[in-house]
Amino acid sequence: MSGRLLNIALPKGRLGERAYALLARAGYPCPAVLEDNRRLTFENEEAGVRYFWVKPADVAVYVEHGATDLGIAGKDILLEHRPDVYELLDLRMGRCRMCVAGPADFIDRPERTLRVATKFPNIARDYYGARGRDIELITLGGSIELAPIVGLSDVIVDIVETGATLRENGLAPLREIAPISARLIANKASFKFCGEAVQELARRVERAVEENEGA
Ligand code: PRP
């Protein structure tokens, strides 16, 4: 491959490993990525790529600032932080749903301000704002399901994957806000200046996604 290497931010963890496997199948392997060590950067000159392990929530920050050309980010992060990047492809993995959840018998009383606990304040604000519903936002860092149990909030806005965390805490999904999955994102300047290489990668990854789905 000619030109410089494409820099790609992978989200640390299982989703990142699955995304890497997809990229490897698409023709961008770099087996050292899966080595069990503390290194964060890996490159394969022959394949024209350099990979970085990044905290999942930070991938879009690296891409937006051009520290990497490409990245794999969850749609939840893109909806919440609205980074100025191109969303090139749905990788159709890491699927889950952004939901409103709470006690199964919860009844929303419009005369009362609804207390909503979440890690995703912008998504919650947008969702209720679009419905003209007054809310009090309670932003937490995790274990959101605890909030309605201890009376900190009426409902939560959170990710539901299997639904097990809600069930085990006596809660249920009440409304779906958006389907979530992993997306291939690109820095806007990289897309302009390395357009051919970026688009070639996106095309090949798309084929690999389709093969995955067919398998
Ligand atoms: C996420 C989310 C839910 C859980 C949903 O939490 O916030 O708690 O996964 O998955 P399930 O429907 O399959 O049970 P995460 O594991 O990221 O931890 P957190 O509590 O720190 O947010």
Side-chain angles (χ1 to χ4, degrees):
M1 170 172 289
S2 63
R4 71 171 178 83
L5 303 184
L6 283 177
N7 294 314
I8 306 176
L10 294 170
K12 255 192 228 170
R14 208 170 60 90
L15 176 65
E17 286 169 17
R18 289 180 60 204
Y20 164 73
L22 192 69
L23 283 151
R25 269 204 307 285
Y28 302 89
C30 183
V33 163
L34 298 178
E35 275 171 16
D36 192 14
N37 60 35
R38 305 286 294 171
R39 267 179 64 195
L40 298 173
T41 70
F42 304 88
E43 63 182 58
N44 179 353
E45 276 197 46
E46 214 176 307
V49 283
R50 183 182 293 119
Y51 289 106
F52 300 85
W53 281 122
V54 167
K55 196 170 176 231
D58 293 340
V59 167
V61 177
Y62 282 79
V63 175
E64 180 173 25
H65 291 272
T68 65
D69 303 297
L70 293 153
I72 311 295
K75 183 69 179 174
D76 52 331
I77 302 297
L78 303 178
L79 288 172
E80 177 62 23
H81 298 293
R82 296 188 210 104
D84 190 18
V85 298
Y86 291 130
E87 193 181 308
L88 300 182
L89 198 61
D90 183 347
L91 299 185
R92 300 187 222 160
M93 56 172 63
R95 281 185 169 135
C96 50
R97 300 176 291 148
M98 184 64 66
C99 287
V100 176
D105 58 358
F106 176 74
I107 295 169
D108 187 4
R109 302 196 189 286
E111 68 279 8
R112 285 188 43 207
T113 299
L114 183 69
R115 295 171 307 150
V116 182
T118 189
K119 260 194 309 198
F120 302 95
N122 292 324
I123 294 175
R125 205 179 288 114
D126 285 356
Y127 177 76
Y128 286 106
R131 284 155 185 80
R133 181 70 175 101
D134 268 347
I135 62 165
E136 179 191 341
L137 259 182
I138 298 151
T139 304
L140 297 172
S143 301
I144 314 295
E145 292 81 2
L146 192 56
I149 297 173
V150 298
L152 178 60
S153 75
D154 301 308
V155 294
I156 62 174
V157 165
D158 201 12
I159 283 171
V160 179
E161 193 181 345
T162 61
T165 312
L166 289 179
R167 267 195 310 279
E168 283 173 27
N169 289 288
L171 304 172
L174 302 174
R175 295 266 180 281
E176 177 168 330
I177 297 179
I180 303 292
S181 57
R183 309 293 160 103
L184 175 67
I185 59 172
N187 172 266
K188 288 192 166 175
S190 303
F191 193 80
K192 192 165 166 196
F193 297 112
C194 318
E196 225 168 275
V198 168
Q199 285 178 53
E200 170 72 12
L201 181 141
R203 268 196 302 274
R204 290 212 226 164
V205 173
E206 188 172 20
R207 272 202 299 276
V209 171
E210 279 159 11
E211 283 162 19
N212 244 8
E213 294 270 296

